Every structure is written in C-alpha cells, then in structure tokens.
C-alpha cells in the first residue's frame, strides 16, 4: 500500500471509520491480501477514507516522507482518477492537492 499505515489510520479516525478494526495492528492485518479479489475489496474500502483535497495533500505528504525515510530519490506514482471523481472531486484539483503535499519535501 502506498499510503503509510499510520496515515491511513489517521484518516480512518478522522471519519469515525471502521469500528471493527479497533487498532492499527488490525489495519495492518487487513492489508495482508489473501488473493486478488481481497486486494480489490481492500483498495475500494480504503478509498472511503479519502474524501477531500486536504486528505489528498495529507497522504501525499506522508508518502513523500515515507519515500524520503527509505532514501528513495525517484518514484513514478499514479492514482485512479475515477476514485476521486465519484466523490465529486476534480482530477486537476486532486493533482494540485498531491503537489501541495509533495511540495513540502521538494528540497529533501
């Protein structure tokens, strides 16, 4: 998963998310995929906790920081626009939010 566990956990708490999880360790277990179908279900489940442009900037910042801590200097990242369009977000503003999150690490 590209979004660090701790970051997704913060978003889940922000939206009073899945009460069945209980804690971050259970979140980590949820991302141990049983098969491809489970991967898809988990991907869709995760998307419910990314609801606005600030959420996009928040997790972009976390992803950039995670890459930095791993000493990764180059990465090709992608996202699925349809996941955001369905929430009424525009692709261009999602990209701007991602850029805002990554910009904090531009000099790193």
């Amino acid at each position: 998963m590209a979004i660090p566990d701790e970051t997704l956990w913060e978003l889940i708490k922000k939206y009073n998310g899945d009460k069945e999880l209980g804690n971050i360790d259970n979140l980590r277990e949820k991302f141990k995929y049983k098969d491809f179908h489970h991967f898809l279900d988990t991907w869709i489940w995760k998307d419910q906790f990314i609801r606005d442009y600030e959420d996009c900037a928040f997790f972009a910042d976390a992803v950039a920081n995670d890459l930095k801590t791993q000493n990764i200097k180059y990465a090709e990242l992608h996202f699925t626009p349809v996941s955001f369009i369905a929430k009424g977000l525009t692709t261009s503003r999602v990209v701007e939010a991602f850029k805002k999150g990554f910009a904090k690490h531009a000099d790193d």
Side-chain angles (χ1 to χ4, degrees):
M1 177 177 76
I3 302 171
D5 297 337
E6 296 78 10
T7 304
L8 181 56
W9 184 245
E10 288 302 313
L11 290 169
I12 291 168
K13 291 189 306 185
K14 174 182 177 181
Y15 293 113
N16 298 313
D18 194 326
K19 303 289 188 228
E20 293 179 19
L21 284 177
N23 60 54
I24 195 167
D25 292 328
N26 292 338
L27 173 67
R28 290 183 178 113
E29 285 297 315
K30 187 171 186 70
F31 282 91
K32 292 182 180 175
Y33 306 118
K34 300 170 189 139
D35 53 36
F36 187 65
H37 187 75
H38 181 239
F39 164 78
L40 292 175
D41 288 345
T42 305
W43 182 272
I44 293 166
W45 171 86
K46 168 233 4 123
D47 282 351
Q48 71 182 302
F49 303 109
I50 304 166
R51 299 185 183 176
D52 59 32
Y53 301 112
E54 287 305 312
D55 294 343
C56 294
F58 175 67
F59 85 73
D61 175 30
V63 167
N65 190 58
D66 190 48
L67 293 171
K68 176 182 153 188
T69 62
Q70 297 178 63
N71 202 31
I72 295 173
K73 303 290 185 193
Y74 176 83
E76 292 186 19
L77 307 171
H78 71 276
F79 71 101
T80 308
V82 71
S83 300
F84 299 98
I85 292 169
K87 296 174 185 170
L89 304 178
T90 66
T91 301
S92 61
R93 289 198 54 206
V94 168
V95 169
E96 289 303 315
F98 289 155
K99 287 168 69 174
K100 176 182 173 184
F102 285 124
K104 295 179 181 181
H105 303 274
D107 295 328
D108 294 344

